[in-house]
Amino acid sequence: MKTNLEFLAAIKSPDKPEIPYNTLNLGPTHPATHGIFQNVLTMDGERIVHGEQTVGYIHRAFEKIAERRPFYQITPLTDRLNYCSAPINNTGWFLTVEKLLGVQVPKRVDYMRVMVMELARIADHIICNSILGVDTGALTGFTYVYQWREFIYEIYEEICGARLTTNMGRIGGFERDFNAIVFEKTKKFLKEFPPVWREFENLLSRNRIFMDRTIDTGGLTMERALNYGFTGPNLRACGLDYDLRTAEPYCSYEDFKFEIPVGTTGDTYDRFVVRNEEIWQSLSLVEQAMNKIQALEAGVFHADCDKYYLPPKQEVYKNMEALIYHFKIIMGEIDAPVGEVYSAVEGANGELGFYLVSDGGRTPYRLHFRRPCFIYYQAFPEMVRGQLLSDAIVVMSSLNVIAGELDA
Amino acid sequence: MSTVKIVEAPEGIGGQGFFATSLDSVVGLARKNSIWPLPFATSCCGIEFMSTMSSHYDLARFGSERLSFTPRQADLLMVMGTIAKKMGPVLRQVYEQMAEPKWVIAVGACASSGGIFDTYSVLQGIDRIIPVDVYVPGCPPRPEQIIEGVMRIQDLIGKESLRRRNSEDYKKLLEEYMVK
Amino acid sequence: MEPISLETIQQHIDSHLSNGIQISQDAFGVFNCELDIKHLYQFVHFLYKDEVLAINFLTDLCGVHYPDQKNKEIGVVYHLQSMKHQLRLRVKVFVSENKPEVPSLTGIYGSANWMERETYDFYGVQFLGHPNLKRILNMDEMLAFPMRKEFPLEDPNREDKIDYQFGR
Ligand code: SF4
């Protein structure tokens, strides 16, 4: 195996201009970019000398819209950030608002949230890792494990009725309690998914071809990764055990037992392995959360905050007061305190932060999303310098860059 | 017993050893059952398209097994996801590169009308730059809906006259959209 | 991970820098400070190098527009973080709309590159010393800075969704 440095040395020096570099345009629509980015690569033969990205092809002006929408109407926007794991974004947003409003949620709600968030993390990692398989030539693994993503969708459907853009939850909790089918399906998932995933892991993680393709491609040292603002699995693959779930526990993560996997070199293979291990940890978290939920008294699924929590629909039709609250909340007439909060959750691909400035009005004065992949995607040229074009594809897919989140 | 379903023959006159029908309907039949889609997936709806393609829903059952990632060999442009104004020229270029006959399906609210993003940066529906044959509503549409959209495209393809693409009307339509 | 108190931070900063930077703490435990623009680079650089506080991670960078504050219309907000102590520090600087010039932090943090480009794109803040300050999300041809408060959300040239159909 050649190391990255030898690759770099193999690039011809720029003072031999007789053979000019080629420019290769990868994107904006390219099947291997998984989303809409343009990479203009300067190539020396098949080696990448330099890359420059253009992003913004699906810029949708989330932050501008958010300045015109009351709090509840911002939840659908957060769905569309990292759409592979929408419930994490929803919860992150509600946690931000609850922090601003000072709402205390019951333990059971916390556990319910942990459960859906970990399911979402599994769903996200399923996509990322199986697509990495596709990019190295193993399509079957993808179609095989994707069924289990469908199964997670089914659990979501039981909870909130939607599959992908879930818009799940309310300020202070959930719109309804988890029904029996949720637990039944989750139990089935916990029982039947692990063998499938084990099989998928066996297919790739000790596979000679896969290892040759991924080991030592797109590595980054921990210092560089921190300097580039990496978070999430990509940072952990570089060897730092930083995870918001333990560093700054939210949603009662401190009540759970789980481990944080770390890698060593931060290359594509490490990212793959770290994600695999996170799936196992998340499975255990889902199980713990489910047990904790079932141990607590059923029927508690939201905090006691009439001012912000939508009243039940039946009440709205019969009861004057409920109707008034409903109207006030929907129209955003609730008073929010003046202040600034920054709140972050560990999204599936890094620290998803919300910086909310409120001037007391019905809408945020300013809402900024810290989108993890926007920040770490800028390291891409450095990660692929000196490597082959085909490596660039694998590196990109292992970074888990989501266009919708990147372009906001 | 085989589980393979064979499409029904078009209307015509048949006897022993022969079958006579119009060329239109035969070509339509062949075309509609072997569509090569070009997935132009930009955002969330693209993930639902992934579901449509993979094992659970399996678009391949409708003759669209082969995804064509190059526009030159595609019949059906499936636009899934938000198209920002920055993306508009790219989309048009992709459309221009496709060979005739070509069809377009706009999947999702964003592609159809801009969806929830009534903003300065989002194109308010791809029909502002290219002609669209079928719109699929939903944000995102469920895979069943996407399949339904493809089936409606199949209907259109099956019925299309062979001469439509050479007609004056069609040329005028393209001119309206300033498509080369 | 040892938590660290406000006094310790204040003392530590005072003992190393002499420009009277005041740190405060808000109700959510985040440390805040507002800086004069000329101290920004020095301050952030000091924090980056300092091993006691170890505030060496740039979490977030964004702009805010306050059209009513005279000569301080545009704020740039930095969220710095120390993973060692798990503390967050919010640093704010304000500049005038007419001359929005802020030193670039790209020399310290690689991650500042795109975030500053984004802030330039949205608010028109000129980051002095930035290697490649051009628009990132919007089209290069765009003239206005869309996140400023006076800029409308909807496309001003749109011809469908006409107001009278919506009773506006
Ligand atoms: S229609 Fe909805 S789900 Fe589809 S791309 Fe637009 S926002 Fe995403």
Side-chain angles (χ1 to χ4, degrees), chain A residues 60 80 165, chain B residues 43-45 81-82 108-110 117 138-140:
Chain A
R60 302 185 264 193
R80 284 150 185 83
T165 46
Chain B
S43 50
C44 348
C45 283
T82 322
C110 283
F117 304 107
C139 183

